[in-house]
Amino acid sequence: GEEGPHSTSPAPSSAPYVLTLSRLERKKGLELLIAAFHRVAVAGALAEWRLVMAGDGDAGYVRDLKRAAANGPAAARIDFPGWVSGGEKAALLQRASLFACPSEQENFGVALVEAMAEGVPVLVSPGVNLAPDIAAAGAGWIAERHPASFPRVLEAILHDRPARLSRGQAAAALAHRFTWDRSVDALVALYEDVRRP
C-alpha cells in the first residue's frame, strides 16, 4: 500500500502506480484498463502515475496490448515487466497504490488477494467473483466494464489518496479473513476449483 512497514523499500521510481498482475489474456479486460489510463492519467496531478502490467500470455495478444499502450498520451508511463515472482513480485505488490482487475470473469484471483493482504485497495469489475465481498468490506471499487464509466471511476480513485488508504486498510482486513478464518480445507477447495477446467 501507500504507507506501512514496506514504504521504506527503495522503489525504482517513486511515482505512484496502478498494478495488474495476471496471465495476459483477453478475458482480463486489460485493453479497457490501458484505454482508461490513457484517458485520465495525462494532466495535472495524475501525469506522474504509472501503469504496471505484470504477467505474460499469448505473444500476439501481448503485442496487441503493447501497441495499445504505445498509442496514447501516457505511453511512456505504461510498463510491461513480464512474468514476476518471488521478491520482485512481492515488492511490486507492496508498493502499488491500486490493484486493477477488470476481468470479464474471475473465479478466485490469487494475486488480487495477495495485493489486498499488502493493504492495496482494488478496482474490480462485477465479473470478479470476490466483487460482492470487496464491496461489502469497502476494500476497493467495483466498476462496470464500460468505456465511459470505467475511466471515470479510475480517475476518481487516482485523485483520492485518503480513500485509497482507508480502503487499503479494509482490503488487508478482508484478505486476512480469507486466509485465516476460512479453514485450510476451504482454501484448498478454492484452489482445486480454480485448477479445474
Side-chain angles (χ1 to χ4, degrees):
E2 295 181 70
E3 62 179 10
H6 308 296
S7 54
T8 52
S9 58
S13 151
S14 59
Y17 59 88
V18 177
L19 174 66
T20 180
L21 194 156
S22 71
R23 181 134 181 83
L24 303 181
E25 55 190 0
R26 291 200 192 276
K27 72 162 196 165
K28 301 288 185 184
L30 300 172
E31 303 96 325
L32 182 70
L33 179 59
I34 291 172
F37 190 77
H38 276 313
R39 237 174 92 178
V40 307
V42 288
L46 302 190
E48 61 167 355
W49 278 80
R50 305 187 74 84
L51 173 59
V52 179
M53 319 263 314
D56 61 13
D58 172 73
Y61 181 56
V62 173
R63 206 165 40 243
D64 289 347
L65 288 178
K66 289 183 174 174
R67 194 175 299 127
N71 289 331
R77 289 176 288 113
I78 303 178
D79 304 317
F80 289 83
W83 187 253
V84 293
S85 58
E88 190 185 1
K89 176 183 171 185
L92 264 184
L93 286 165
Q94 286 162 5
R95 292 197 301 263
S97 293
L98 178 71
F99 187 92
C101 181
S103 283
E104 287 169 32
Q105 199 281 321
E106 192 77 38
N107 287 336
F108 184 77
V110 177
L112 181 67
V113 175
E114 287 174 334
M116 291 195 299
E118 293 292 349
V120 179
V122 297
L123 168 59
V124 301
S125 61
V128 174
N129 278 13
L130 295 182
D133 297 274
I134 289 164
W141 293 262
I142 319 298
E144 293 293 336
R145 290 168 37 79
H146 187 279
S149 53
F150 194 84
R152 265 205 308 276
V153 176
L154 180 64
E155 184 171 25
I157 296 169
L158 301 192
H159 275 299
D160 196 343
R161 188 167 183 272
R164 292 197 308 272
L165 293 174
S166 62
R167 294 192 194 203
Q169 287 168 344
L174 179 60
H176 192 266
R177 218 175 73 213
F178 278 128
T179 45
W180 297 105
D181 291 358
R182 297 184 179 196
S183 66
V184 172
D185 298 321
L187 210 56
V188 168
L190 269 172
Y191 281 101
E192 288 299 328
D193 189 47
V194 174
R195 285 174 47 207
R196 209 172 292 127

